[in-house]
Amino acid sequence: MATRYWYREILPGTAMVAVECTNVVLSILFKAASAKGLSYYVFIAYSYAFATIALLPLVFFLLRKSGLPPFKFSLISKLCLLGVVGFSCQICTYKGLEFGTPTLSSAASNLIPAFTFILAVFFRMERVALRSSSTRAKIIGTIGSISGASVVVLYKGPKLLYSPHWTSSSVPLHEQPLGSPQSNWVIGGLLLTVAYLFSSFWYIIQSQIMKIYPEEMIVTFIYNLSLVILSVPVCLLEESNMTSWRLRPSIVAVAVLYSGIFAFSFSSIVHTWGVRLKGPVYVATFRPLSIVIAAVMSAIFLGDDLYFGSVIGALILSAGLYAVLWGKAKEEEERADDDDDSSLSSSGLLAGSKVPLL
């Protein structure tokens, strides 16, 4: 019983937090590499290529053990759609950052839990019974998570920890000023909203794939391979300067290797496993946590100032996460009780249908 609880409740949450920490480190590395001239198109193409190569030995071993996946049209079409949605999400995010700012991107990313919850309800992956405490907890928790992340992004407040070597260049990504005279906020906001809507669709499609073929490693490999096939021609057209494709020993190579070998492959596997185990809404709820993690890591490792708004937002977001996790656990208990009641009623009907011998 304890092992099952650890596997279904403790391990998924720990893995999701680890993925968000990994993504924050990736953002820091990419920011440093882009300052050295790394193109986003080169970064995407190389990262997914290295992720595919890193997963190849594991997938080869699994295929020898379990065999090839069933080549059904429903599975193949969903895998292709997953690659198209993932690549579209990456491109829309990049273009949205071109027109907007990182702060706008961070604020728009808070829409992912709400989009995922609405889509999961629409596709009947989540039960909505407003009289149920589990449903109310999930709704309130989702709103709380979005609100907490928005407080971190939009409200600074007084400084709690001061950096002795503070400069304007050390301001973390989520605390850059909202105003930017060169930014087209309307186009940037629309593109980022579309990007995070694609991200929510990614979770929904992944959940449907897991019902057909529950092999996280192989599905992640096929997904990365499809992204390589999609991204390389597009990225070569957008970045035709071949000198930009040369990787030299620098922070650029570190960012590309880290993203491909560790970040992209690890995060995709964990998200796929989490979607299969707990559902798309559970995984999406952890996305705003990266904003708080970025604020804390910036204060600890980069010596940036820690603001009162970051602390308050982190507390609100943590309460929202706890509410969603409690709601999911309560829903599983209610589902288990319903299954027990149905099994007891069916056994009672079978017992009642027996004809006595005398």
Side-chain angles (χ1 to χ4, degrees), residues 3-20:
T3 305
R4 184 177 181 274
Y5 177 80
W6 181 84
Y7 177 76
R8 291 193 61 87
E9 304 298 336
I10 304 299
L11 185 60
T14 306
M16 296 304 154
V17 174
V19 166
E20 297 307 320

Side-chain angles (χ1 to χ4, degrees), residues 52 55-56 59 216-226:
T52 305
L55 291 173
L56 187 58
V59 171
E216 295 90 352
M217 199 79 68
I218 298 175
V219 169
T220 302
F221 172 78
I222 296 174
Y223 168 69
N224 286 331
L225 181 62
S226 65

